[in-house]
Amino acid sequence: MTGLHKTELRPACCGEIKYLLSISAFWPTTLDEPRPRVEPIEFRDTIAGRGYTGSDNCRRVTPCWGNEMAAIEPETPSGPLEKSLPSRRDFTMLTAGALLGAAQAPLLTQAAAGQNAPPLDIAEWSYFWYGVEHALLARGTVVNGKQMYGEHWIPAQVRHPYAVVLIHGGYGQGSDWISTPDGRRGWATLLVEQGYRVYVIDRPGQGRCPYYPYVHGAFDREAPSFERTAAAISARSHTEWPGSGEANDPAVAQLTASMGQPMANNAITQNVWRTRGAILLDKIGPAVLLTHGDGAVFAWVTAQERPELVKGVVAVEQGAQSLRGQTAEALGKLAKIPIAIVSAEASSSNQSDADAAASLRQAGCAVEHIRLAEHGVHGNGAWVILEKNNREALQPVLEWMETAVAKRPGFTMESGVDPNRNAESTGVKLADQGCFWVGVERKQMPYGTIPQGQMYVQYMIPAQRRYQYPVVMVHGGGGQGTHMMGIGGRPGWVHYFVQAGYSVYWVDRPSYGRSPYHPDALGPSHLPNVPPYEGLIQSTAVFNTAQWPGPGGMNDPLIDQFMACEYGNTSDEAFHSDMVWRGGAELLDRIGPAILVVHAFGGFFAWGVADRRPNLVKGILCMEINGNPFAAQLRWGLTAGPMTYDPPVTDPSQFALMDRTEPPDSPRPVPPSYKLQAEPARKWKNLRGIPIGWLTSEFGGGGSPVANVAFLKQAGCDAEMLRLRDHGILGNGNLMLLEKNNHEVFGVIRDWLDRRVAGPARA
């Protein structure tokens, strides 16, 4: 493998080594592309006084465009951020102060936000990773970072011939299209209402696509800050922002919490966008590309690669430099594609958008410049897709697509249900859906105030709720909420719970998935460290099971789909736990009493949240939670952070422990020994009376079921072990929620919840 540069990144607080690699290892450059250079960087951990030292052994990769950096960043500093985010360097000074009011002024609840909206009959809801590729490193085979995430909704009645692909811009992610900062429906759902097949993407390295600094480039020296987001929104210049627009505005806080590190907008990145856009269209067929900000660049290069599959491009508030570097020949490839450029009334993009429209027309393109004010849509800034009148702002776009995009001959209306589908349904009937962030704290930096610990929550409310309590689902390990959403187009437990009549909320823990990471916010302990394939492929607790739905091995496409979402585990479990518990408690304060369903490493969520909100946790279902009592970082029993004990414990040294040994026929895994408290044992007084089920599979993973259930019972909890083999379910490993018989496994959970927590409402 040519061009591979390996340097050690060694944290001062532990002996773990992480490797940073030059971008040239994965993305070969050409002579007219900037070559990477390696510069020393200090990774500061200002949270607990630990850190990486700025030595020669700690480096970062930056493209060598020197003083021209701003010109090729995702956006330019010459245009206001509200329309298109400026350079990465400039942007990070942009956003600093909003979260103070977030907890004091809660956003609209989902029910209130969606109460007047029509129900959603969705025939197919799932996700897919496009363009997953391998890279061979010294430590093993990893995903190379070019994968692109796509989530799609196919309505039961498709009323338009072509799908719509929604492409975020700048520092955004696909969540920009799912919900507004005040909890209303985003354009993705509004388009589903209109009968469009909708695909929302996270560009490579953004949103659900892990950002690997050794592949995608260095993090900005400064994280997004609340103050600068507020300044960029410039709410005083228009009327439709859904809040005050000040730094302490909860809506500003939600937007800033969503902002993650983009790759530099250069030729290398654009080639990745081009190829991933082409892979998407090859899979889904002809589509209209609808973009925001510098997402327009993604659309241009994708349309040039697959002009026959792009039936239209709608560029909303496209960046002033979105056509930079485009030759007349390249623009000529767009000549047969209808294009709409959309400008909001209070955005300075009106002039730059007019210039872009003129350039495209000069190249032979058919372009309509939609000025929203001319269509009676007033008071908007650059974030028009998130503002109070976002439904009205979409109307001119719908009208343009109806008239300007060519019709498919013979198309009238069709069912969104695939009649030849050889799998269970991924359809859901919803009263509402959306997303938001919880646990957003303020961290003061020299350059402003930044978000820390934000946790992404996605939710679905069924059209017919049959169960009183919603389910909160928490992913395990170094993964993200996609673990709960099935794999390879197969339904997951979100589907099954919603189909059964539960409201469902599932999270991306801080620094995972759509919960962005930046070193200034979370320090080195959460730096993504993608795991290699080899050990997982061979493990009988992971992929080497009788129930894994793919063929297994290095070329298994379903293993690729799983590995594409992986980040690697945090090295500071106590710090991570504190953030997650804070966000989990806020989530329950917002949605009310709930059932917690937790998997593997995510299991600690349940203990700490139930300790903080015992009256709001009605049941806990654990799936093979990681770790054994008092082992490794679990110094407080089953957690790395303090729990409420009776009698009280102020320091882990106060525990009196004894060794225990399991019977040889115990469910896997079976440790040589484990620790429990010496009697009389201290109790988890806040968890008394909460039913707890510990689910374990035939091949087992995580911690010892025997040891964990023994700890819970000794601590006074109402816990029981649920062995799948006792229900005639065999062949599963730790990823039972994704395996071939995951619906059967779900049935065991549903029956336990009906019996121990609350059954369905009577018809």
Side-chain angles (χ1 to χ4, degrees), residues 108-120 183-185 189-190 193 391 430-432:
L108 293 175
T109 64
Q110 292 78 25
Q115 61 186 0
N116 297 319
L120 304 168
R184 292 170 294 107
R185 290 182 174 183
T189 303
L190 300 183
E193 288 180 13
R391 185 181 287 270
L430 304 177
D432 203 15

Side-chain angles (χ1 to χ4, degrees), residues 124 127-131 152 197 199 276-286 306 309 488-489 561:
E124 180 181 327
Y127 72 96
F128 196 79
W129 297 92
Y130 299 90
H152 64 265
R197 292 177 290 128
Y199 292 77
R276 271 53 196 167
I279 292 170
L280 169 68
L281 294 178
D282 289 344
K283 183 174 177 66
I284 72 172
R306 291 290 188 273
L309 294 179
Q561 288 292 301

Side-chain angles (χ1 to χ4, degrees), residues 117-140:
L120 304 168
D121 190 355
I122 299 170
E124 180 181 327
W125 168 71
S126 191
Y127 72 96
F128 196 79
W129 297 92
Y130 299 90
V132 183
E133 296 176 355
H134 298 178
L136 180 60
L137 309 181
R139 61 189 176 93

Side-chain angles (χ1 to χ4, degrees), residues 218-247:
F219 286 97
D220 290 342
R221 293 186 183 276
E222 299 172 355
S225 63
F226 301 122
E227 293 91 348
R228 197 171 176 192
T229 296
I233 291 170
S234 189
R236 294 180 181 178
S237 68
H238 60 287
T239 60
E240 292 299 318
W241 176 254
S244 69
E246 302 298 328

Side-chain angles (χ1 to χ4, degrees), residues 36-64:
R37 68 164 177 258
V38 179
E39 294 181 341
I41 181 175
E42 179 181 353
F43 281 79
R44 299 177 302 279
D45 182 358
T46 57
I47 299 150
R50 298 179 301 274
Y52 294 107
T53 56
S55 68
D56 290 340
N57 288 332
C58 183
R59 297 173 178 270
R60 74 172 186 177
V61 178
T62 51
C64 54

